[in-house]
Amino acid sequence: MMWSNFFMQEEDRRRAAAGRRRAQGQQNLGLTPEREGKIKLVLLLATVGATLSVLSVGTEFWVELNTYKTNGSAVCEAAHLGLWKVCTKRLWQADVPAGRETCGPAELPGEANCTYFKFFTTGENAHIFQRSTKKEVNLAAAVMAVLGLTAMALGYLCVITVLSKGAEFLLRVGAVCFGLSGLLLFVSLEVFRHSVRALIQGVSPEVPPAPRLTYEYSWSLGCGVGAGLILLLGGICFLLITLPSWSWGSLCPKRGSPTA
């Protein structure tokens, strides 16, 4: 009876020790509060970039096209466009600032006519002030922007999985996705700039002659630049969080420590 009690106590101790090791292993696999706080802080920063990117891609104030004011006319024409849509407006010259030689800005009240670009559906080029777009360049800018938003969504999914399931290996994947999203947005902005230059130079030979135009980039493009920078910064911060603590010690040795 004594030996049976001894063996039962030994078996209970072994089970308790195995349970403690198992619980300690699960605790090591989870996120520490400090690490989780850093991830949430960087995710908040990435949320700002995501908001700006969606606002930029979804609005049509990337660039404003302005005609010159003409004497003897009460109205003038301006236009603003983005990745998906173009809006032409007839503005009252009395509303245009007195020191301005061109029509605009496009935010002034006036008769507006907005249409979506047809090269997404029928493949036709758009005609703005007797100038034609280059659909290949516009399509490339739109595709890059959509790919950037897709990479951003994948980054969000990875980071949320890290916070909810503790799968820390996905943090590097999320960092790459956020960085890639910022780069794709910058590529989209640069391609769009080339499309604007091609539009200005694509004068149609039709009569009457095309009016002189000036262009200026607007707030939607500024939101895109800010979004690209913030998403790149978020990707770098997520990548830094994944580095082990000993690597920071080797990069930044304490003062007074011996160096080789």
Side-chain angles (χ1 to χ4, degrees), residues 57-93:
V57 174
T59 53
E60 62 276 1
F61 283 89
W62 283 49
V63 67
E64 294 182 9
L65 305 176
N66 304 311
T67 61
Y68 283 85
K69 293 189 294 185
T70 57
N71 295 327
S73 176
V75 296
C76 60
E77 292 184 320
H80 57 90
L81 62 146
L83 295 175
W84 322 103
K85 189 166 59 172
V86 58
C87 295
T88 58
K89 298 186 74 173
R90 294 171 60 88
L91 306 177
W92 294 100
Q93 290 198 24

Side-chain angles (χ1 to χ4, degrees), residues 44-57 152 156 223 227 231:
L44 179 62
L45 175 67
T47 303
V48 177
T51 304
L52 290 176
S53 63
V54 172
L55 182 64
S56 173
V57 174
M152 181 185 66
Y156 261 99
C223 289
L231 289 174

Side-chain angles (χ1 to χ4, degrees), residues 13 22 32 37 68 90 111 118 125 135 143 179 182 210 224 241 243 253 255:
R13 281 196 293 268
R22 199 160 43 243
T32 62
Y68 283 85
R90 294 171 60 88
E111 181 183 350
K118 293 183 179 180
N125 278 310
K135 60 182 180 181
V143 168
I241 292 175
L243 295 178
R255 184 176 297 178

Side-chain angles (χ1 to χ4, degrees), residues 116-166:
Y116 286 94
F117 290 122
K118 293 183 179 180
F119 41 71
F120 294 111
T121 54
T122 61
E124 300 178 14
N125 278 310
H127 300 281
I128 308 169
F129 297 137
Q130 299 179 13
R131 290 169 169 84
S132 298
T133 59
K134 286 190 176 181
K135 60 182 180 181
E136 296 83 4
V137 184
N138 291 82
L139 279 171
V143 168
M144 290 298 169
V146 171
L147 290 177
L149 293 182
T150 304
M152 181 185 66
L154 290 176
Y156 261 99
L157 182 62
C158 291
V159 175
I160 290 175
T161 304
V162 171
L163 292 174
S164 60
K165 304 295 183 182

